[in-house]
Amino acid sequence: MSFTRRRFLKGTLAAGAAAAVPSFYINKVLAQEQTLRIYAWAGYFTDEMLADFTEKTGIRATFTPYGTNDELMNSLRATDGTGFDVIMPTVDRVPGYLDYDLVQPLDESRINWSGALDSAIEGSEVGGVVDGRRYFAPSDWGTEAITWHRRDANIDRANLSYADLWNPEHGQGVTVRGHSALVGIGLWLEREGRLPHPLLDSYKSEEAMRANFDVILEEAVKQKQMLVQFWDTENEAQAAFRTNGAIIGQTWDSTAFRLRQEGEDIAYGAPKEGAMAWMEGFVIPKNAQNPDAVYELINWYYTPEAGAMFVKATGYNSTSKGATELLPDETRQFFTDSYTEQDLANLWWWPIQEPWYVALRNEYQDRYLSA
């Protein structure tokens, strides 16, 4: 990714509350004629958010949740891009939707870009713009790193590593997601010079991917006895800590955020190899029935108030200008506690994951889960 991620974070942190007042004018009569069907990650749209959207635009909306990128992709492939008006994949997966002809380009003239962080718009060009056409309007970003119970795991925050997950002192108290745990182990092994190729080469050719992941899988299986649970969705990750005995894990930042909200003594931190960072956004399926309403949704979201509602609901970071200033102190404190300036400069952004890579990744994940 040629674009400088430091510039993305700088733009995120520096953006003030002075966002342009939105104008909900885009074919509103047409948009109101039928319900907007939203297909997005579980927890991304609360009743409060849907009601606010309807109040501001007059458009009815329904929300159907999914738990993984693969679930989203499989659903759209099964229906040839029919059934929903807007989806919210991660930006690295967008080119794969084009390979299957499942999405349509955005009409950028219909989007109130002045309400979105310039750095996020620029950052989403990698994956979100293909052959000069934009398919992706950025909505949020977050990370996957290390979550731990302060009382149970002895962690040196200044030297945190993905290797710390596999400290024998944790016993059978580790929770991870299959495919991303392999990447975390890969980042650790790469730092120690134990991979045959740079980890990023795994996303460029099958030969490099197999060579690296053979080494990674061997290490992962060696440590597997320490796992208390694999997780695949947000609810499963939370349950690992809440009820199933996990004391440390590789999870999304939202997992730690929500557990902290419940009063758990949970910490979240970025390893020195880099927290795995991702960006999500709005994409219109090829056969959307109400694309006019999608532009209304995007413009509604690119306001400080809507962005703040999203952050309070999810714990992720909105790309809407001014959202941060409207957040509760505890939400902003979680961000400060979780990331140092060095952590933010050292984020490891997910590369574009082409369909061939996803197929191989799932093969290695299956071997890991069944070992």
Side-chain angles (χ1 to χ4, degrees):
M1 296 188 176
S2 58
F3 134 85
T4 304
R5 296 300 182 179
R6 286 184 178 84
R7 291 173 59 191
F8 170 71
L9 271 305
K10 183 178 180 181
T12 302
L13 298 172
V21 177
S23 54
F24 301 105
Y25 63 89
I26 301 169
N27 292 347
K28 180 178 282 190
V29 173
L30 292 176
Q32 290 175 339
E33 287 182 354
Q34 54 189 322
T35 300
L36 170 66
R37 302 164 303 167
I38 302 169
Y39 192 34
W41 296 84
Y44 272 28
F45 285 88
T46 63
D47 290 341
E48 176 191 8
M49 293 169 69
L50 294 175
D52 188 76
F53 171 70
T54 299
E55 179 184 348
K56 296 287 187 0
T57 66
I59 300 169
R60 300 179 306 276
T62 61
F63 166 51
T64 302
Y66 55 79
T68 70
N69 268 304
D70 288 344
E71 180 183 348
L72 168 58
M73 171 65 84
N74 292 338
S75 296
L76 253 68
R77 288 188 65 187
T79 62
D80 193 32
T82 299
F84 297 98
D85 300 305
V86 63
I87 59 175
M88 296 183 69
T90 53
V91 69
D92 54 276
R93 302 295 286 271
V94 173
Y97 287 87
L98 271 70
D99 288 344
Y100 294 114
D101 189 28
L102 295 174
V103 298
Q104 59 181 278
L106 298 174
D107 182 347
E108 296 191 63
S109 69
R110 304 174 74 180
I111 296 175
N112 176 28
W113 293 112
S114 64
L117 293 169
D118 293 337
S119 51
I121 298 169
E122 180 185 354
S124 63
E125 290 178 1
V126 179
V129 176
V130 180
D131 295 332
R133 308 180 79 179
R134 177 175 281 278
Y135 293 82
F136 179 97
S139 61
D140 62 286
W141 68 277
T143 64
E144 182 176 329
I146 308 297
T147 295
W148 69 94
H149 269 296
R150 295 179 193 269
R151 68 176 184 270
D152 297 321
N154 183 20
I155 296 297
D156 178 3
R157 178 67 178 80
N159 292 296
L160 184 61
S161 166
Y162 289 107
D164 290 342
L165 285 167
W166 314 110
N167 184 332
E169 293 180 2
H170 299 147
Q172 191 179 4
V174 182
T175 186
V176 296
R177 182 172 58 158
H179 73 83
S180 53
L182 296 175
V183 174
I185 291 172
L187 289 168
W188 156 38
L189 298 181
E190 179 180 45
R191 181 175 56 81
E192 295 188 348
R194 295 167 58 187
L195 291 185
H197 303 283
L199 184 61
L200 288 177
D201 284 359
S202 304
Y203 298 83
K204 299 175 182 177
S205 76
E206 179 175 346
E207 180 183 8
M209 197 278 190
R210 287 192 179 278
N212 281 337
F213 273 67
D214 284 345
V215 175
I216 292 169
L217 180 62
E218 181 180 3
E219 182 66 38
V221 172
K222 187 189 308 181
Q223 308 292 348
K224 190 179 178 183
Q225 77 279 359
M226 294 184 60
L227 290 174
V228 68
Q229 177 193 318
F230 281 109
W231 65 269
D232 203 37
T233 67
E234 177 64 78
N235 288 339
E236 292 169 355
Q238 292 178 43
F241 286 91
R242 192 183 293 120
T243 60
N244 296 340
I247 64 173
I248 191 170
Q250 183 179 311
T251 78
W252 292 321
D253 43 6
S254 58
T255 304
F257 174 76
R258 288 168 174 166
L259 291 170
R260 282 263 291 264
Q261 283 185 317
E262 296 175 6
E264 296 284 352
D265 189 15
I266 290 286
Y268 181 81
K272 53 191 173 185
E273 297 92 351
M276 301 173 192
W278 44 262
M279 187 188 300
E280 294 167 341
F282 301 103
V283 174
I284 303 180
K286 177 180 66 176
N287 294 317
Q289 294 180 8
N290 197 359
D292 294 297
V294 178
Y295 292 103
E296 293 277 7
L297 177 71
I298 296 171
N299 289 343
W300 166 82
Y301 182 85
Y302 284 160
T303 64
E305 295 77 14
M309 281 191 283
F310 173 85
V311 177
K312 284 187 282 188
T314 64
Y316 296 135
N317 308 288
S318 174
T319 60
S320 302
K321 286 181 180 175
T324 302
E325 284 71 16
L326 301 181
L327 295 175
D329 289 342
E330 64 177 8
T331 304
R332 286 186 284 179
Q333 189 62 48
F334 175 79
F335 187 90
T336 301
D337 291 345
S338 299
Y339 306 102
T340 66
E341 288 297 323
Q342 182 178 354
D343 293 334
L344 294 175
N346 190 42
L347 295 176
W348 189 87
W349 290 84
W350 283 100
I352 292 174
Q353 299 184 51
E354 303 282 3
W356 69 264
Y357 172 85
V358 175
L360 286 179
R361 183 203 73 179
N362 291 341
E363 173 190 322
Y364 277 90
Q365 175 179 249
D366 290 344
R367 290 166 62 185
Y368 182 28
L369 298 181
S370 63

